[in-house]
Amino acid sequence: DDSWYDKNLCVVGDEFIEFLKKTQNETYNKIHKKHGESTNQRILRRLNDEIKNKGLIHILRKGFNHVDGGNIKTLYFQSNSSLNQERRKRYLHNKFLLVRQLHYSPNNNNSIDIVIFINGIPILTIELKNQLTGQTVDNSDRQYKFDRNPKGEPLLQFQRCICHFSVDNDLVNMTTQLNGEDTFFLPFNKTLNNLETKSDGFKVDYLWKEVLTPTSLLDIIENFVLFTHSSDYVWSDEKKKVIEKKKPVLIFPRYHQLEVIRKLKSQ
């Protein structure tokens, strides 16, 4: 029974409301004073609308405005100064949640192997495969392409999550935009094929030991994920010239990009 997850609003509502009350109780009380029992649902609907309109990464970094309560933060990043004790206290109220077999769809009984949440908001999905059962990341990729249709599925729409991972015992692939059979995956490997990866477990355990830790994920959300536009140049018969077409792109850093920048910052 996963009725605690709202499949249309894409949120574990109790988790987000708990975070809001602990970190921004004055704001919550201000909205509650006006709306009473409908307060939680109004806040969650507003959160959903703002993510749909502005994209997840914007709402995670900037929060969102509620007409009756001002700006609402969705998470707190670590303060650069140890003197800001109030900010550190709020930072420690961030709560990560890992859910196995999340039934995400309002249309069917499909589930995703792992979904990671921050303060009740889904941020990452992962499909797991195991060579011992005859499946690899290629099977995960095909599952995302052909069984994870973003049309009509709120969780799978562009900018609703910051990344989708395909994982087997040896390799990791990633994409930031599901687009049916046109979905494009990039490798997210530590070395070329992870052949040299030293591990006491799986070759891909760097994913959860180095990348998907709470501190690392908050750093990635705050400093690395980028929403931008790329340009395609195509010939227009109507205008008789080459024209520029821009398309939105969400960039999640690959492993070696993370590693290089973090090493430089530590010098």
Side-chain angles (χ1 to χ4, degrees):
D1 179 14
D2 54 6
S3 58
W4 40 265
Y5 174 70
D6 191 314
K7 299 176 182 179
N8 291 297
L9 298 183
C10 299
V11 67
V12 181
D14 290 346
E15 291 279 317
F16 183 75
I17 296 299
E18 179 187 4
F19 166 79
L20 178 58
K21 287 180 177 180
K22 286 182 176 179
T23 61
Q24 302 154 84
N25 195 49
E26 185 177 336
T27 297
Y28 180 84
N29 288 338
K30 186 177 179 181
I31 302 172
H32 188 271
K33 186 175 181 180
K34 184 171 183 179
H35 296 291
E37 292 183 1
S38 67
T39 297
N40 292 2
Q41 198 62 18
R42 284 177 177 270
I43 292 172
L44 297 176
R45 283 202 301 266
R46 180 67 176 175
L47 170 63
N48 176 62
D49 290 343
E50 289 290 275
I51 292 176
K52 287 200 299 185
N53 292 332
K54 298 179 181 178
L56 177 63
I57 195 63
H58 178 90
I59 301 305
L60 291 177
R61 286 174 176 166
K62 304 295 185 182
F64 65 97
N65 291 323
H66 192 287
V67 66
D68 298 312
N71 184 260
I72 294 176
K73 299 294 185 185
T74 56
L75 62 80
Y76 283 91
F77 297 109
Q78 191 163 15
S79 174
N80 293 326
S81 171
S82 60
L83 299 178
N84 193 334
Q85 292 300 313
E86 182 60 31
R87 186 175 178 88
R88 173 157 180 81
K89 181 179 177 181
R90 293 181 177 181
Y91 167 77
L92 293 174
H93 279 303
N94 288 323
K95 183 178 178 182
F96 282 90
L97 178 70
L98 183 147
V99 178
R100 287 295 312 270
Q101 297 302 138
L102 180 77
H103 291 85
Y104 64 90
S105 175
N107 307 308
N108 52 57
N109 200 40
N110 285 354
S111 65
I112 292 177
D113 288 339
I114 290 179
V115 179
I116 296 177
F117 295 74
I118 175 75
N119 301 326
I121 303 170
I123 58 174
L124 296 164
T125 76
I126 306 173
E127 290 289 358
L128 300 171
K129 300 301 173 190
N130 184 351
Q131 281 90 330
L132 295 178
T133 61
Q135 293 188 312
T136 69
V137 287
D138 292 336
N139 297 95
S140 293
D141 290 352
R142 285 195 289 271
Q143 194 168 21
Y144 273 122
K145 288 181 177 181
F146 299 106
D147 299 331
R148 303 286 178 260
N149 189 346
K151 294 181 180 179
E153 299 289 3
L155 179 64
L156 303 181
Q157 291 171 7
F158 182 49
Q159 291 202 79
R160 192 82 224 200
C161 289
I162 59 175
C163 197
H164 307 277
F165 288 103
S166 294
V167 183
D168 65 22
N169 297 342
D170 300 328
L171 301 172
V172 180
N173 288 341
M174 57 157 281
T175 185
T176 58
Q177 183 172 9
L178 298 177
N179 190 27
E181 62 183 52
D182 295 322
T183 301
F184 182 72
F185 284 91
L186 289 167
F188 193 87
N189 299 319
K190 192 168 184 176
T191 61
L192 184 60
N193 289 303
N194 286 338
L195 296 178
E196 304 86 4
T197 302
K198 294 181 180 180
S199 170
D200 55 2
F202 296 102
K203 292 179 182 179
V204 295
D205 64 10
Y206 61 88
L207 181 64
W208 54 87
K209 289 182 176 179
E210 300 177 35
V211 180
L212 301 185
T213 66
T215 302
S216 172
L217 270 178
L218 286 170
D219 179 41
I220 290 169
I221 292 169
E222 184 179 19
N223 299 307
F224 288 90
V225 179
L226 176 65
F227 176 73
T228 184
H229 288 80
S230 66
S231 295
D232 286 335
Y233 295 90
V234 297
W235 175 260
S236 171
D237 290 331
E238 180 182 350
K239 296 185 178 181
K240 305 299 182 183
K241 64 177 182 179
V242 173
I243 61 172
E244 180 184 15
K245 285 190 174 182
K246 290 191 174 184
K247 61 180 181 180
V249 177
L250 187 64
I251 299 173
F252 187 96
R254 294 166 74 183
Y255 179 87
H256 65 276
Q257 294 168 326
L258 273 176
E259 184 183 38
V260 167
I261 294 175
R262 285 173 171 173
K263 283 183 176 180
L264 286 172
K265 289 174 67 176
S266 68
Q267 297 300 315

